[in-house]
Structures are given as structure tokens and as C-alpha cells.
Amino acid sequence: MTITRKRLLIGAAALAASAALALSGCSGSSGSTKSASGSNSTVTLFNGSVGNFTENFNPWLTTGAELQPTQGVIYETLFYYNMARSQDPVPLLGTKYAWNSDGTQLTITVRTGAKWSDGSALTAGDVAWTLNHYESTASLNTLGQTWTTKQDGDDVVLTFPSTSFTLEPQILGNIAIVPEKIWSKIPDVLKTTNTKPVGSGAYELDTFTPQSYTLKKNPNYWGTGDDAPKIETVRFISLANADAATSALESGQVDWMGSYLPTLKDIVKKHPNVAYVNTADSTTSIVTCSNADLGCTGPQTDVAVRQAIYDAMDRTQLNAQALNGFGEPGSPTLLVPAVNKKWVADQANEMLPEGADAAKAKSTLEADGWTLNSKGFYEKGGTELDLTINVVSGWTDYDTVCTLLKGQLQKAGINLTVNQVAQNAWSNSETTGKFQLSLNSVNPGASASPYYIYNNYLNTAATAKVGSPSSTNTSRFSDPAVDAALKTLASTNPSDDAALLKEYGTIQDTVVKQLPIIPIYVNQALTEFNTSHATGWPSADNLYAFPEPWKAWDAGIVLKAIRPAK
């Protein structure tokens, strides 16, 4: 259900004064405790939020408007799927599941004895209602697949019209289970901010202000032993810039954060309590509002313009200057080559071009009827080729990319305006389609399978007309061949590699030509920890969860695993 698009990669160019100001909100008595005792232990998270928090704990949302701990920390799924390493799904609110032989029926056994955070019983009826509501609500069901739901004691049985093995991670690991008694009374579950969340997760909401909020252990949590949380309080803060993040990490005022810090290796050398782990799984990309039929306006609705942008990029320069070379080559197929090379049907599409080819970009535009004007920019029908790209102010690696792109595209006769906005405004513009270009990332979905990337970002069922919120397909892309391939993939046995590759090839042929999302590079994903207050964080040798603190579902696993430092 969730594609987490919130992330932060920040550079080192911010002002120290701003850092001190940003940290003033987390340095009081409620900040990270130095106690090793579990009775008053606190950890502080910085998950990339800049500016004030907007209170929203709606577990149905996929827009990024929901605050990060909603999915995984306050609400849980039936099982946890770890994309950081190969392992079996981990039981959460489900204890076991089984498919029938032809993949048309999935039986889930619901955990007995589990409770909601208000102390009431969590039942198989809640699970059945949640899954049925998801399936029957078009605005939620990004899978575009149907099934019937039946409760049978502690079991919930889903019956599909065709083979549906592929849907397993999405249904079991990417839908938050909610209490029927609350959510069945809400006419449109997407239109509530759910400021008093009642979940089943290890933590529940304690306090909230626009500057910070805290969670406390859920006294009714089902987990015991290793499944029980050991830290009493989890605090979430917002920071303004790179210096603020660096200072907070070094001083122990932040215990867990996910940021690109160019001086990280030096920081680790100076501070033995600081550690980091690096996992790359997302492709930094330009999302275009590409579909005029759904209301997108602007030159980017012309595929020739998107192709020209693709060719005019100097990705080597972008990686070197925005990421100090930490980025890795991406693929025009939107897949991460290091993870999904075997699923690139045409090896000619495996890797992105690294250098710029302004001549090719110009040739593409001229073949499409664009002509250079006296200012050195192309125009057609009296309209100059001017584009605006939205980027979050303070995400300084992204800001750097946009600044460099402006110069690179100018060499190809494209005039680019960089619009730095607050995170909420950036997210809202992209979700509602009121943008031309937006710098974001393409992230994996419920599992590492390419199906989820393509289904989330390209399926017509996952988009909407401009003005209406789109759950994940914010480029408004729609193509019958892609939709048909996704439908076939959803019913293909996951062990049939040849059949899967055939359908992936159909999708890739289209997306490489249409370029509704223009990939730049595979970004690095650095996660930092200060071990002064808590231990047991994920490491390169023990990736029991994806370590980034903004990652939906995984954060709940990490917060259950850590314990107060001795």
C-alpha cells in the first residue's frame, strides 16, 4: 500500500546558526536520555522531516502526508517482508498462511490474543474487514485486482478469480490492519487525519507538537520477549539543514537518522559511538506530469521533450557534484541494476547514459517541430520551451542536481526554472498533479520484485486526473499494453522466470520510449546511528530490517529490536 517517498540527503553547506536554532527544540529535558535503564529510555529519530510536522496518522494514505511511524510502528501488517536480505516473511498479526495449488485461494491465520492499543481485542473480523475494504475501494486498491474475503474462525480466506501468487507481499506485508469499529464509521478513509490513532503496533502516540512528537510503548502490545519493545519513548524531530543533522548526530541528540553526510567517514573516526550502514535501493528521478489526457499541461507532456531531457543530462557531473560520487549507475527501465539485472529484458536498456548528448537532444526536438529562438531556447507555435521543476528546499543534494540541470538543459535549448518549496507543498503538488517536473525517487514496493515498481508507478489503476490525489502513479502515466502486462504478471507463477521476463520486457519497451519518469542515478542510502543510548541497530552484517528511519514497516521492526545501552 505504501510507497515511502520521504527521504533526505543533505549536504554540508548550511549555516551553523541555523543548526543551533534547529536543535534548540530537541535539547531540553525531554531529549535523549543518557540513562542506560530501560525504565526511562528514549531514542530520538530524524527521518528527513524539515519544517513543522502536520499531525496525520492515517494508515491508509500513500501520499507521504502521513507521518512516518504510522506504518509499522503504530499500525502493523500481517507479516513483515524484509527487502534488505533474503528471508521468509516474519509473522506479525498473522501467524501462518497458505496458498492452494493453483494460487487462487490464500488462507491467513490471525494471531489470537492480540489487542488494539485501547485494550480491545483484535480479531479475524478486523482483518477481514480491512482486506475487504481495501479490495472494494477503488482509491485504495492500487493492485487493481479483485478477490472475495471470508472469515472462518481465526482464519481469513481470500479467493481470487485467477492465479494470484504475485499479490502475496502486497496483501500480507503492505496493508495496515485497522480496527473495524473505528474505520467502518468513516465514509472516506482517505479524508481523515486520524489524530488519535488506535493501532496494534509496539508504540502508540503520546504527545504531539508541530516541532516534535513522541510515542510510548503500547501496554497492550502482543509481543513478548524479543518481540517486545525495550525502549520506553521514541521521539521524532525536524531539523533544518546539514549542520543541524551533523551536530545532532555527533552530540547524541539524535540516535537514528538517514542522511547523506559528505563528512560521515570523518565523523565516525572522531566519534566511536557513531556508526552507519549503506543500502541503495532507489533511483533518483525526474517525475513528469506526462499525461495531457488526464489534465497535465506544459511542454513535458510532449514525449520528445522528455527524451531531450533524458539525453541532455550529464549524469557523471550530477553524481560527482551532488553526491560526491556515491551514486551508482541506474537503468532507463527504472530498475536498480545491482538488484534486478536479471529482469532487464533487453540488455541495451540495462544502464543509463552517463555523459550528456546535447546534439541528440536538439535533434530530437527539431524532428518534433521545435525551432531555436534568438535567446537560444527552442519554441513551437510561439511558445518557448520553458519548464519548472519542484524540489524540496533543504534537500541539498537534490537542490544541487536541479541547479546543475538548469545549466545542462540550457545547452540543449531548454529553459529550466528551479522551484524550491517546502516538503508538504512539494508532496501535495506531485500528488495532485499540479506540477510539470518534480525531483523524487523511484522506490521498491512490497518486495524487491520489479512488479511492484511497475505496478505502483505505471498502472492506470494507481493514478487519477489532475486535481485528484494519485496514490503512487503521480506522472499520470497510462498505457494499455503496460496495464495488460501488469494484469498478466499478477497471475503469473513467480517461479516462471521466462513468463515474467516477457511481460517485464513489454513494460520496459514502453517506459524507455515514453519516459514518464526520467531516471538520473541510483542513490546511496546512508543510515547513521549514535549508539550512546541504544544498541542493536541494523548493520551490514545483520540487516534484519531495511535500516532507513523513514522506511514504512521496517521502522517498527528496528524499534522492537533495539535496547537501552548499558
Side-chain angles (χ1 to χ4, degrees):
M1 184 168 69
T2 294
I3 299 299
T4 303
R5 291 182 284 114
K6 293 185 292 185
R7 62 185 310 281
L8 180 68
L9 298 171
I10 48 183
L15 298 173
S18 298
L21 178 63
L23 287 173
S24 63
C26 66
S27 58
S29 59
S30 59
S32 291
T33 175
K34 294 183 179 180
S35 171
S37 168
S39 62
N40 60 352
S41 53
T42 298
V43 295
T44 300
L45 273 68
F46 170 53
N47 58 19
S49 296
V50 294
N52 286 342
F53 293 111
T54 299
E55 192 170 15
N56 191 328
F57 297 96
N58 185 339
W60 297 98
L61 290 178
T62 61
T63 62
E66 72 280 13
L67 292 171
Q68 178 272 332
T70 303
Q71 286 141 339
V73 184
I74 297 176
Y75 291 89
E76 293 181 307
T77 56
L78 292 163
F79 291 82
Y80 166 69
Y81 286 73
N82 184 2
M83 287 188 287
R85 70 182 183 191
S86 177
Q87 68 176 54
D88 292 335
V90 176
L92 295 174
L93 296 180
T95 56
K96 62 181 181 180
Y97 67 92
W99 285 95
N100 65 354
S101 59
D102 64 358
T104 58
Q105 193 168 82
L106 175 63
T107 300
I108 308 153
T109 300
V110 177
R111 183 178 297 280
T112 57
K115 294 181 179 180
W116 298 108
S117 55
D118 65 359
S120 61
L122 187 156
T123 69
D126 291 311
V127 175
W129 184 87
T130 301
L131 299 182
N132 182 63
H133 192 69
Y134 175 92
E135 183 275 337
S136 60
T137 306
S139 57
L140 298 175
N141 188 352
T142 57
L143 291 168
Q145 305 295 322
T146 61
W147 63 78
T148 60
T149 306
K150 180 181 178 182
Q151 180 188 350
D152 182 9
D154 293 329
D155 290 345
V156 173
V157 182
L158 307 184
T159 302
F160 304 88
S162 59
T163 301
S164 298
F165 292 115
T166 308
L167 304 183
E168 178 189 304
Q170 173 69 18
I171 294 171
L172 299 184
N174 212 24
I175 297 176
I177 303 302
V178 300
E180 177 184 4
K181 64 181 182 181
I182 294 175
W183 289 92
S184 63
K185 299 176 182 176
I186 300 174
D188 186 342
V189 298
L190 292 176
K191 293 183 178 179
T192 179
T193 53
N194 193 36
T195 56
K196 296 180 179 178
V198 175
S200 64
Y203 288 87
E204 61 180 346
L205 181 64
D206 188 18
T207 65
F208 184 90
T209 72
Q211 291 74 43
S212 69
Y213 58 96
T214 63
L215 308 182
K216 62 181 180 181
K217 283 201 297 188
N218 173 7
N220 295 299
Y221 189 58
W222 56 266
T224 59
D226 289 342
D227 280 326
K230 315 298 187 302
I231 301 294
E232 292 293 326
T233 304
V234 183
R235 188 164 188 259
F236 294 79
I237 63 170
S238 170
L239 294 174
N241 51 50
D243 281 350
T246 300
S247 297
L249 179 67
E250 290 180 311
S251 66
Q253 290 177 302
V254 163
D255 301 293
W256 184 15
M257 58 188 277
S259 300
Y260 167 61
L261 302 176
T263 60
L264 181 57
K265 291 182 179 179
D266 292 333
I267 293 172
V268 171
K269 288 180 182 177
K270 290 191 298 182
H271 301 278
N273 286 335
V274 173
Y276 74 92
V277 63
N278 189 3
T279 50
D281 75 334
S282 63
T283 301
T284 297
S285 304
I286 297 174
V287 179
T288 76
C289 192
S290 63
N291 192 340
D293 290 341
L294 289 182
C296 297
T297 59
Q300 82 288 347
T301 59
D302 183 341
V303 66
V305 171
R306 301 197 295 269
Q307 291 169 340
I309 294 172
Y310 176 88
D311 289 320
M313 284 186 192
D314 183 343
R315 293 176 173 82
T316 299
Q317 182 192 40
L318 297 176
N319 183 14
Q321 297 192 24
L323 278 186
N324 281 348
F326 285 121
E328 298 175 359
S331 167
T333 64
L334 304 180
L335 303 184
V336 174
V339 177
N340 279 316
K341 179 179 179 179
K342 66 176 285 190
W343 296 122
V344 177
D346 182 349
Q347 294 306 303
N349 292 328
E350 181 182 339
M351 309 299 285
L352 289 164
E354 288 300 301
D357 191 342
K360 183 177 181 181
K362 288 182 174 180
S363 177
T364 299
L365 291 171
E366 289 168 5
D368 190 53
W370 294 86
T371 57
L372 272 178
N373 64 22
S374 60
K375 295 188 291 183
F377 296 117
Y378 281 97
E379 64 179 31
K380 185 162 66 172
T383 301
E384 191 172 86
L385 183 40
D386 295 339
L387 290 162
T388 298
I389 186 166
N390 289 346
V391 62
V392 175
S393 178
W395 293 13
T396 54
D397 69 323
Y398 277 22
D399 295 338
T400 300
V401 165
C402 289
T403 299
L404 293 170
L405 276 175
K406 180 178 177 63
Q408 293 178 2
L409 298 192
Q410 185 172 355
K411 294 177 181 177
I414 301 170
N415 189 17
L416 181 69
T417 298
V418 179
N419 182 34
Q420 293 188 342
V421 296
Q423 184 175 342
N424 286 343
W426 164 81
S427 176
N428 185 61
S429 296
E430 192 175 313
T431 300
T432 58
K434 297 179 180 178
F435 71 105
Q436 293 183 328
L437 309 175
S438 181
L439 196 62
N440 204 328
S441 60
V442 174
N443 301 303
S447 78
S449 165
Y451 169 80
Y452 287 99
I453 288 179
Y454 293 140
N455 191 62
N456 288 329
Y457 288 96
L458 302 175
N459 196 333
T460 300
T463 195
K465 292 182 178 179
V466 170
S468 297
S470 168
S471 54
T472 52
N473 180 357
T474 56
S475 71
R476 269 69 191 171
F477 182 76
S478 178
D479 183 273
V482 170
D483 290 341
L486 288 168
K487 186 175 182 179
T488 300
L489 284 166
S491 61
T492 300
N493 190 318
S495 65
D496 190 344
D497 286 4
L500 295 174
L501 192 60
K502 176 177 180 293
E503 302 305 327
Y504 289 142
T506 297
I507 296 170
Q508 291 162 6
D509 286 346
T510 303
V511 74
V512 166
K513 294 173 183 173
Q514 295 292 322
L515 291 170
I517 299 171
I518 307 171
I520 299 176
Y521 49 57
V522 178
N523 217 324
Q524 293 296 297
L526 291 167
T527 307
E528 298 87 5
F529 312 100
N530 190 307
T531 61
S532 300
H533 308 127
T535 60
W537 303 101
S539 66
D541 296 329
N542 185 18
L543 286 171
Y544 60 83
F546 194 85
E548 288 278 15
W550 45 261
K551 187 73 168 54
W553 314 123
D554 301 73
I557 301 298
V558 174
L559 287 173
K560 287 199 300 184
I562 61 173
R563 59 203 67 231
K566 296 180 179 178

